[in-house]
Amino acid sequence: MLSLFICLLISFSWNLGRDNRGRQRIRLPSKRFWQKQRFSDSFWNKEQQRLDFNNNPLISSSLKALSHWLEDLGPSNLCQPDHRVPSQVADYNSLPQQFRDFLLHMRCRTYPLLVNQPRACAGKPFLLLAVKSLLPHFERRQAIRETWGRAGVVCNRTVATVFLLGTAESSDHFPDLRGVLGHEAKTHKDLLQWDYRDTFFNLTLKEVLFHKWFTKYCPQARYVLKGDDDVFVNTRRVIEYLKGLSEVETQDLFIGDVISDAGPHRDRKLKYFIPESVFVGQYPPYAGGGGFLYSGQLALRLYNVSELVALYPIDDVYTGMCLRKLGLVPEKHSGFRTFGIEEKYRWNPCVHRNLMLVHSRTPQEMMKIWPYVTKPQLDCQ
Ligand SMILES: *[C@@H]1O[C@H](CO)[C@@H](O)[C@H](O)[C@H]1NC(C)=O
Ligand SMILES: *[C@@H]1O[C@H](CO)[C@@H](O)[C@H](O)[C@H]1NC(C)=O
Ligand SMILES: *[C@@H]1O[C@H](CO)[C@@H](O)[C@H](O)[C@H]1NC(C)=O
């Protein structure tokens, strides 16, 4: 029966493949058109294969149950250090400490919210500014509040601002800043803090936890701008741009300083070094983590899909991976300058007026440039 069906299919496509004079048009592929599934020894790739397998709707649940039984699942409570890691990562003992910390906790995504602002989005903001900050960066946050991050109405649209924080622990040699932080949280009501070590490799966690928070407390925000606390954002320009978008353009909006064709750095001295025992492969297109702009709808979908993507130690690459899983590609926009602008334009208000986001600016630089950028009588001919 099956072979009969295949015969029919072949003769059918054979007929399709001839033009009206009966000449053959079919071109046979020179290479195999299917790809054998490759299994990798790198830890992240293995974790991702496990997630793909468990979430594959074509694999029946009984088979999954069997595979669970066969597989060493690691810790039953995913937030205990993962005891499989040292034996599964060949060069574990020679990896820099931050990799060991990352790998041991890679499966844990649930950390308690210590400081919440359940009403941050009560005004159903048009734009939510979500700023990645670190607990000791009081001065940067205050400069942002007084300049581009001022919450309220801008260009006839509501803007809300939240700062995303983890903890600064004494084991990482931070002084105890909880008292001051409590005061700041009460005064400004714009801090979100989760109970995890705020390190470079945990920025991915910050992203996932923020999207979880967003899904619960801010799902009606139309747009999100997520960025670092040392970028300068031209909030008006961003809002004017968003006002000009059609409903269709909004749906999958994700723009920033997009990097394509990148892959992991293998030089141990670089900040973005990733050993082969952790990851092999190319990176999907991703927007530099300094700042990007996307729709609230997409933020909800990014949270959903993040459950299907293993945590990766570089947060902007991780967001690119999640977008790819959704079948989306971030779009490059020349208004996003996460790698800075030419020095001679550093203080040029007209250049800033046409930019959406530029990296990096100190709090004092933000205070200095903001009045120029917002002055209505600025003549930029
Ligand atoms: C302000 O925005 C609202 C919709 O958000 C619109 O109805 C109103 O006309 C706008 N006002 C001005 C002065 O543009
Ligand atoms: C991330 O945070 C968790 C929870 O605080 C911590 O155990 C882990 O060491 C951190 N990872 C890194 C790479 O700092
Ligand atoms: C996210 O997933 C949940 C559960 O599968 C679903 O109900 C919801 O509609 C999804 N949300 C989006 C925005 O895709």
Side-chain angles (χ1 to χ4, degrees):
M1 185 64 206
L2 185 68
S3 52
L4 179 69
F5 177 72
I6 290 173
C7 278
L8 281 175
L9 205 68
I10 290 175
S11 59
F12 181 64
S13 54
W14 176 262
N15 287 333
L16 273 184
R18 284 166 183 273
D19 63 18
N20 47 13
R21 268 174 272 166
R23 275 196 316 239
Q24 201 177 330
R25 277 196 285 113
I26 294 177
R27 234 181 279 142
L28 290 174
S30 55
K31 287 190 201 136
R32 281 194 312 213
F33 59 89
W34 71 90
Q35 242 188 350
K36 250 187 2 198
Q37 174 89 12
R38 272 191 312 236
F39 288 97
S40 157
D41 283 334
S42 302
F43 194 74
W44 185 92
N45 301 69
K46 279 196 288 196
E47 282 293 291
Q48 189 55 46
Q49 278 157 1
R50 184 183 61 82
L51 282 175
D52 287 342
F53 181 79
N54 286 340
N55 294 299
N56 187 335
L58 297 177
I59 297 172
S60 74
S61 50
S62 51
L63 189 59
K64 277 177 200 163
L66 186 69
S67 80
H68 279 299
W69 179 69
L70 290 171
E71 183 196 17
D72 170 19
L73 270 182
S76 51
N77 173 355
L78 298 179
C79 287
Q80 295 298 313
D82 188 344
H83 63 74
R84 300 167 311 146
V85 172
S87 61
Q88 291 200 2
V89 179
D91 54 355
Y92 179 79
N93 287 318
S94 63
L95 289 181
Q97 184 63 43
Q98 55 173 355
F99 276 102
R100 292 189 253 165
D101 290 341
F102 175 79
L103 294 169
L104 283 179
H105 300 95
M106 188 172 151
R107 284 195 176 185
C108 181
R109 298 164 183 245
T110 48
Y111 292 96
L113 192 52
L114 298 175
V115 177
N116 188 13
Q117 309 298 336
R119 299 196 43 78
C121 291
K124 297 196 179 124
F126 178 76
L127 176 64
L128 176 70
L129 301 171
V131 188
K132 299 183 272 180
S133 190
L134 287 175
L135 205 155
H137 292 178
F138 298 101
E139 192 191 10
R140 295 190 189 182
R141 291 194 287 277
Q142 191 57 29
I144 291 171
R145 288 186 191 107
E146 293 182 20
T147 58
W148 60 265
R150 176 172 297 168
V153 176
V154 181
C155 302
N156 190 31
R157 292 291 187 275
T158 327
V159 174
T161 302
V162 286
F163 294 94
L164 316 176
L165 304 171
T167 56
E169 286 166 27
S170 55
S171 56
D172 288 323
H173 316 292
F174 281 104
D176 186 352
L177 299 169
R178 282 171 300 180
V180 206
L181 191 80
H183 176 74
E184 186 189 358
K186 259 194 232 119
T187 310
H188 298 289
K189 301 189 173 58
D190 57 8
L191 301 185
L192 300 177
Q193 189 194 23
W194 288 269
D195 192 6
Y196 69 87
R197 271 173 76 201
D198 217 344
T199 57
F200 177 60
F201 277 8
N202 268 344
L203 282 173
T204 304
L205 211 46
K206 184 169 282 195
E207 160 109 351
V208 172
L209 292 168
F210 165 63
H211 282 150
K212 183 179 184 181
W213 179 88
F214 183 88
T215 303
K216 182 156 186 203
Y217 295 103
C218 202
Q220 282 160 324
R222 287 285 297 279
Y223 300 98
V224 182
L225 188 144
K226 185 161 172 279
D228 285 333
D229 62 3
D230 60 350
V231 296
F232 182 86
V233 178
N234 186 346
T235 321
R236 287 162 172 244
R237 174 85 180 83
V238 170
I239 290 179
E240 292 303 343
Y241 169 83
L242 293 173
K243 276 179 172 177
L245 295 181
S246 70
E247 198 64 39
V248 179
E249 288 169 317
T250 292
Q251 291 242 313
D252 293 340
L253 178 81
F254 194 106
I255 59 172
D257 203 346
V258 172
I259 300 146
S260 301
D261 303 320
H265 288 287
R266 301 301 191 197
D267 179 351
R268 285 180 87 95
K269 287 192 257 359
L270 294 173
K271 183 181 180 191
Y272 296 102
F273 161 69
I274 300 284
E276 278 167 52
S277 58
V278 171
F279 176 80
V280 288
Q282 284 296 106
Y283 289 160
Y286 67 96
F292 42 73
L293 178 63
Y294 53 118
S295 74
Q297 274 302 313
L298 187 47
L300 302 175
R301 291 165 67 200
L302 279 170
Y303 176 59
N304 262 15
V305 84
S306 68
E307 310 251 325
L308 310 181
V309 183
L311 296 184
Y312 193 73
I314 301 176
D315 66 333
D316 43 14
V317 172
Y318 181 76
T319 310
M321 291 171 164
C322 292
L323 285 171
R324 183 170 62 183
K325 200 84 178 162
L326 289 170
L328 301 175
V329 180
E331 196 181 319
K332 192 173 180 74
H333 191 291
S334 58
F336 286 78
R337 300 297 179 88
T338 53
F339 298 100
I341 52 176
E342 276 184 70
E343 194 55 38
K344 65 178 175 195
Y345 297 134
R346 200 171 172 83
W347 297 111
N348 185 323
C350 289
V351 167
H352 281 77
R353 189 169 258 201
N354 292 314
L355 291 176
M356 295 216 222
L357 181 144
V358 57
H359 179 263
S360 65
R361 292 290 181 268
T362 67
Q364 279 157 306
E365 287 171 340
M366 285 181 202
M367 299 296 291
K368 184 171 166 191
I369 197 90
W370 181 250
Y372 294 107
V373 176
T374 51
K375 209 193 301 183
Q377 61 272 36
L378 180 66
D379 184 6
C380 286
Q381 292 317 305

